[in-house]
């Protein structure tokens, strides 16, 4: 009986370790292309052409509630573009690369899957990772949320951080974290929006902890992307 009890205890311990969570929640991060390009480093439009004037996906990142995060969790499962081949047109629209030199997006998507996606293999495979992010982008609809509050892309027009956060909170239900960058004139501009998502990558939640992104000033520009130029055009 003693042996059986110990066996049961060991079995239960193994089971507990097996189902232990790999992470606690996700950051879903979108970036504003107008701010990405309107900086000292500039941008290069993807080979498919200039993206639409809309927020684009940066990534879906597993995180822990203590502020740390896992990364590069499975080197045996590298990015395989054939698994997302019939998603490529949507990814090029909603998850475009703006890095230089111009690319087709594969390098960007590979980085995001291998660094972040492999740490969430407990809930989805490679294709599921990208599908989850695309679904969250539609659900958030950030540009629509801001425009409904009268906040539209425009050069030289500034908004308070409160106005921007309130607009997104009203639409989504939870306050985002806003990261800013600085344009060539030294003005703070809306760069990235972090939203917290539950561990199933299905629903937005209140952020357990906010990231340590670049801070914003009291007033922030939401620059136009339709008038922006890439380094290739300069």
């Amino acid at each position: 009986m003693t042996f059986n009890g110990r066996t049961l205890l060991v079995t239960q311990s193994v089971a507990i370790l097996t189902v232990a969570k790999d992470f606690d929640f996700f950051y879903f991060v979108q970036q504003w292309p107008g701010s990405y390009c309107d900086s000292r480093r500039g941008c290069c439009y993807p080979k498919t052409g200039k993206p639409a004037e809309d927020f684009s996906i940066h990534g879906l990142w597993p995180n822990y509630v203590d502020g740390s995060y896992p990364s590069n969790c499975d080197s045996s499962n590298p990015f395989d573009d054939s698994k997302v081949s019939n998603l490529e047109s949507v990814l090029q629209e909603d998850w475009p690369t703006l890095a230089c030199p111009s690319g087709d997006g594969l390098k960007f998507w590979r980085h995001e899957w291998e660094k972040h996606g492999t740490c969430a293999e407990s809930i989805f495979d490679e294709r599921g990772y990208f599908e989850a992010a695309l679904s969250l982008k539609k659900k958030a609809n950030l540009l629509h949320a801001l425009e409904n509050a009268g906040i539209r892309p425009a050069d030289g027009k500034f908004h308070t951080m409160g106005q921007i956060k309130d607009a997104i909170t009203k639409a989504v239900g939870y306050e985002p974290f806003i990261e800013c960058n600085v344009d060539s004139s030294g003005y703070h501009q809306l760069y990235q929006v972090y939203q917290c998502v539950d561990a199933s990558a299905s629903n937005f939640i209140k952020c357990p902890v906010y990231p340590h992104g670049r801070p914003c000033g009291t007033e922030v520009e939401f620059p136009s992307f339709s008038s922006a130029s890439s380094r290739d055009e300069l």
Side-chain angles (χ1 to χ4, degrees):
M1 292 295 292
T2 303
F3 175 77
N4 289 340
R6 288 178 179 174
T7 302
L8 179 60
L9 180 61
V10 170
T11 302
Q12 289 175 329
S13 298
V14 171
I16 290 170
L17 288 172
T18 302
V19 299
K21 287 196 296 182
D22 300 317
F23 57 92
D24 298 309
F25 70 101
F26 289 94
Y27 284 131
F28 177 56
V29 187
Q30 295 186 73
Q31 60 189 10
W32 180 246
S35 300
Y36 186 108
C37 294
D38 187 16
S39 62
R40 290 181 178 87
R41 73 176 173 182
C43 69
C44 290
Y45 298 150
K47 292 179 179 178
T48 51
K50 185 176 183 178
E53 188 173 52
D54 193 5
F55 284 89
S56 61
I57 299 170
H58 185 171
L60 181 61
W61 305 340
N63 273 259
Y64 300 120
V65 293
D66 66 0
S68 64
Y69 60 90
S71 64
N72 301 106
C73 295
D74 188 359
S75 60
S76 69
N77 189 13
F79 178 76
D80 180 353
D81 63 295
S82 69
K83 294 179 180 178
V84 295
S85 58
N86 62 348
L87 289 177
E88 281 191 16
S89 60
V90 182
L91 289 171
Q92 287 166 348
E93 180 179 342
D94 289 347
W95 202 328
T97 177
L98 291 169
C100 295
S102 295
D104 54 12
L106 292 175
K107 181 178 179 181
F108 186 17
W109 306 329
R110 177 180 297 108
H111 170 80
E112 292 300 315
W113 165 251
E114 293 180 358
K115 182 175 181 180
H116 302 289
T118 57
C119 298
E121 291 174 337
S122 59
I123 65 166
F124 39 45
D125 57 14
E126 180 186 312
R127 181 184 176 85
Y129 172 74
F130 289 99
E131 287 179 331
L134 291 168
S135 177
L136 288 167
K137 182 182 186 301
K138 287 183 180 178
K139 187 178 291 189
N141 203 353
L142 293 180
L143 184 59
H144 182 69
L146 291 172
E147 288 181 335
N148 274 353
I151 302 172
R152 297 178 175 81
D155 293 330
K157 186 173 182 179
F158 294 83
H159 309 274
T160 68
M161 281 301 300
Q163 290 171 328
I164 293 171
K165 286 184 176 181
D166 286 350
I168 297 173
T169 302
K170 181 179 179 181
V172 180
Y174 300 98
E175 183 176 316
F177 175 81
I178 306 295
E179 181 180 5
C180 292
N181 67 0
V182 178
D183 67 13
S184 56
S185 300
Y187 295 118
H188 286 170
Q189 50 189 6
L190 173 59
Y191 174 45
Q192 296 199 126
V193 178
Y194 291 69
Q195 294 173 282
C196 292
V197 180
D198 65 17
S200 70
S202 302
N203 302 296
F204 293 111
I205 60 172
K206 181 179 179 180
C207 284
V209 61
Y210 286 111
H212 300 290
R214 284 165 284 190
C216 299
T218 54
E219 292 197 328
V220 177
E221 187 179 13
F222 186 28
S224 170
F225 182 56
S226 59
S227 62
S229 298
S230 71
R231 280 168 51 177
D232 296 335
E233 298 174 324
L234 297 178

